[in-house]
Amino acid sequence: MSNLFTLEETPSLEIIGLQPRFPVRRIYCVGRNYAAHAREMGADPEREPPFFFSKPASALVANHGAVEYPSLTRELHYEVELVVALGKPASEIPPEDAAECIYGYAVGIDLTRRDLQAEAKKLSRPWDTAKGFDQSAPVSGIVPISDCGYLSKGEISLRVDGEQRQHGDLAQMIWSVEEVIAELSRYFRLYPGDLIFTGTPAGVGEVCRGEVLEGIIEGVGRLVTTIQ
Ligand code: MN
């Protein structure tokens, strides 16, 4: 009788300029952390603070990888985001101490089945099928803090087949990276290997089969993903 399960390697990311890879434990995500994006989704950022959801670590796709167009959607959306990689544990950490937990940064795209998300919102159902599907988390290599320093501003943008669709600045985040870590650490014990998608600027939209997504963050790098 064959084995029921095949053991797979721990999902991991390249660390730019270093040999060892970064083993990924959990992927947390922040919703509506840029006011302009909250408004384009029909929310009022003055009244509704950002919030959290998650994706499985197995949803990671390495830089220059291809994503198979997911099933059961007709509206696959891109959301370019700064991804924070944690190097130290944190539980109920104050924002002023949160920077110590940051190992480095990467560029990520939070791929979303927008039609399924709209349906889930309407029916007050969870977002897993809209956000946590296979290959829903393309992420670039990680730039360690020792190479890039702490980031509080910098251009963030996304292009589809070379044409700019999303544009913003990290300084526009409603919760700073440190505030995100502090707030998240009230809900979960955070550990080295955790990634946090910190939210997307305005301009989210649809991507079709055959198109190439390019996410760029000043001081962090460039992520390229092809949708098949
Ligand atoms: Mn997002």
Side-chain angles (χ1 to χ4, degrees), residues 29-33 37 53 55 78-81 109-112 114 117 127 131 197-200 204:
C29 304
V30 184
R32 298 183 203 142
N33 199 25
H37 170 64
F53 58 94
K55 292 175 185 263
Y78 47 77
E79 300 186 355
V80 66
E81 311 202 5
I109 298 177
D110 167 13
L111 288 173
T112 303
R114 192 70 76 200
Q117 187 194 32
W127 285 9
K131 289 289 196 177
F197 276 65
T198 57
T200 196
V204 299

Side-chain angles (χ1 to χ4, degrees), residues 13 26 28 30 35 39 46 48 52 67 69 72 80 103 119 123 140 150 168 171 177 179 185 189 192 202 206-208:
L13 289 173
R26 288 188 67 158
Y28 297 102
V30 184
R39 285 189 208 103
E46 305 294 324
E48 295 172 75
F52 299 105
V67 169
Y69 196 93
L72 296 174
V80 66
Y103 176 79
E119 182 80 355
L123 300 171
S140 72
Y150 292 105
V177 166
E179 287 166 339
S185 79
R189 262 175 209 280
E206 202 173 337
V207 61
C208 301

